[in-house]
Every structure is written in structure tokens, then in C-alpha cells.
Amino acid sequence: MSAAGIASQLLQFAIALALAPLLVGWVNQCRAWLQNKSAPSLFLPYFTIRKLFVKDAVVAEGASAIFRTTPYIVFGAMCCAAAIVPSLATDLPFARAADAIALVGLFALARVFIALAAMDIGTAFGSLGARREMLVGFLAEPALLMVLFTASLISGSTSLPTIVDTFAHRDLAIYPSLAFAGVAFTMVSLAENARIPVDNPATHLELTIIHEAMVLEYSARHLALIEWAAALKLFNYSCIGLALFFPWGIAAAEDGWLALLGAAPVLIVKLALGGFLLAVIETLSAKMRIFRAPEFLGTAFLLAVLAMLVNQMLGS
């Protein structure tokens, strides 16, 4: 375990924790601008998290230990995912302990616990949101795995650093399979992060909410961790997409300290562009009915399978 690897791991983890709320604020700001509305402050997510941390927590009567520990488990799972995904460099000591399949498992772990916590308190909203969340996860996870398997077939490994090294440091080539995989990943990312058209993070209407219904009973530090974890999840999915489809600028193990320092501004620029595109997609899309979500995610799964078939038939 080299000193450069430890430094890149710590720097990447610190950037993920610091920039995740900023990415959410940037998306909200861009969406407000595109809708000709007064934009909220870019740092509003930081202010919200700080305000929640200093409040006194109110726990629902009859809540078990699952309800109390879920925010810490969800936040910890998202932190582990941020340490695995190569956003700055591929020389990551933590990434050697888990591959792309384990990364999907971390997302599934967070989903299971937050659904259990929503049902634990016995409210109608919580149970409704938990059922919808498990429906979305049941359809989204296979599509995400197919996308990652397509990338692993090209690189010959399920390790994310190896995949990034393969895509970023070989001759420029066009992979038709990655085009289908990219569309599928975008659709899965929208669903997994509770974004339009699958969910609307800015509403509390019973007919539309999924994620917000599960966290209505949380307050203070528990809600702060949930909100921070949701921002980390969006950051992680953005970094996965950048690592798979736009890996340029990520420092390799042999590049040294200057490449690592140069990768940080490149990452910020790519995240800013990605956040703007996400705002554009949400502005141009309409919230679909919950019963249309299986069709949406089924299409994502078919595109991901098609990507694998194209890779097998064409070898690219």
C-alpha cells in the first residue's frame, strides 16, 4: 500500500463528503434557472444539514433499534461506495477489497435498511414508500448489473479501477455496446436517485413520492445523515457514470502527485456538466405514474442486455 495510494484514497473520500451536497445544490439551481424561477442558494444543502445537526431528535413512539440505526448504516454504506468508485485516481487501496458487484450490494444494503425503517414505525406513508422503493430497486439493480457486466466484458475484470484504466489508457475506440449501456445507466440513475420522471424530490404528495415517504418520520441528526447520504448517492452514481463513460482525467497509479492534483478540477468540471444535464432532463420530463415505472426500468434492462449482446456479437 503506497503513500500515493493512501493520499489519493483520503483525498477522494474528503472530496466526496464535501462536494456531494454542493452537487445537489447545483442541480437545484440549474433546474430553477431553466424553469425561470428564483434559484436557491448553491450552499442551501450545507445550511440544511448544519441546521438539522444542531436540533434535538424526535423519535417515533414504538420505534425499534432498526429505525434509530438506519441513518448511520445508510450513510456508512454511501461512504464505503464513495471510497470504492475511482473518481480521482485508480490507485485506491479500498477499491481492491470490493468490485462492481459489491458496489451494487452496498446500494442494496442501504435500500433494504431504509425500507425496513420506514415500515418499522407502522405509518401508512412509510409502508407505501417502502413498497415503492423495493419495486424500483427490484427493477433497477439488474439493469445496473448488466451495465457493469458490459464494461467488465470489455476490460476483462469486474474491478472498477481496472475498468477505468482499460477505457482511459488505450487507443481511442468506439464501443457501440457502451452507447446502449450509457442510456440504460442514465435511466437507472434517475430512478435510483429519486429524480424525475420516476420520483420528484421536491414534493410530499402521496401519489408521487417514493423516497420522501420513507423519511418523513426522521428529524434532526437522523434526517441530516439521510439527506447527506442521498447527496452522496447522487455523487456516487455521477462518478460511476463518469468512470465508465468519460474516464479521461482520472489519474493512473503511475502518474504521480501532479496528475492526482490535476484530476480534482477535471472532476469538478465534469460533475458541473453532468449536474446541468440532469437538470435539463428533469426540466424536459414529466413525472410519470408509479405504475409506469416498471416499463421505464424494464426498458433500461433491455437496453443493458442489448449492450451485452452487441459486445458479444461485435466484440466492442
Side-chain angles (χ1 to χ4, degrees), residues 164-236:
V164 173
D165 278 331
T166 301
F167 290 161
H169 304 104
R170 66 162 48 181
D171 294 336
L172 182 64
I174 297 176
Y175 296 97
S177 58
L178 288 183
F180 293 104
V183 177
F185 179 81
T186 301
M187 298 171 72
V188 170
S189 181
L190 291 173
E192 286 280 72
N193 289 282
R195 314 299 301 193
I196 297 174
V198 179
D199 195 6
N200 188 353
T203 184
H204 287 81
L205 297 177
E206 179 181 357
L207 296 178
T208 58
I209 58 174
I210 299 177
H211 176 266
E212 292 297 322
M214 298 187 294
V215 302
L216 285 177
E217 296 297 325
Y218 279 113
S219 62
R221 63 183 182 277
H222 297 142
L223 183 57
L225 289 174
I226 292 290
E227 295 292 336
W228 203 350
L232 275 171
K233 187 175 184 180
L234 178 61
F235 182 89
N236 289 334

Side-chain angles (χ1 to χ4, degrees), residues 26-37:
W26 169 247
V27 173
N28 294 337
Q29 217 176 48
C30 291
R31 188 169 62 176
W33 289 336
L34 292 171
Q35 296 174 355
N36 290 324
K37 296 180 179 179

Side-chain angles (χ1 to χ4, degrees), residues 239-301:
C239 290
I240 293 172
L242 295 176
L244 294 180
F245 308 107
F246 305 97
W248 306 283
I250 298 178
E254 64 275 4
D255 287 344
W257 294 94
L258 291 179
L260 179 62
L261 296 177
V266 174
L267 174 64
I268 294 174
V269 171
K270 291 194 292 186
L271 286 174
L273 293 175
F276 177 77
L277 291 177
L278 175 59
V280 170
I281 293 174
E282 289 193 298
T283 302
L284 297 178
S285 303
K287 171 70 176 66
M288 67 173 64
R289 296 176 59 201
I290 187 62
F291 298 109
R292 297 293 300 275
E295 299 177 11
F296 182 82
L297 292 171
T299 302
F301 179 76

Side-chain angles (χ1 to χ4, degrees), residues 48 52-53 55-61 63-75 110-123 125-126 130 204 210-229:
T48 302
L52 291 172
F53 267 123
K55 289 181 175 291
D56 294 329
V58 178
V59 180
E61 183 178 356
S64 70
I66 293 179
F67 183 83
R68 294 180 174 87
T69 58
T70 288
Y72 303 97
I73 295 174
V74 173
F75 182 76
R111 173 182 292 109
V112 168
F113 269 93
I114 199 170
L116 288 176
M119 293 186 294
D120 179 66
I121 52 179
T123 62
F125 255 27
H204 287 81
I210 299 177
H211 176 266
E212 292 297 322
M214 298 187 294
V215 302
L216 285 177
E217 296 297 325
Y218 279 113
S219 62
R221 63 183 182 277
H222 297 142
L223 183 57
L225 289 174
I226 292 290
E227 295 292 336
W228 203 350

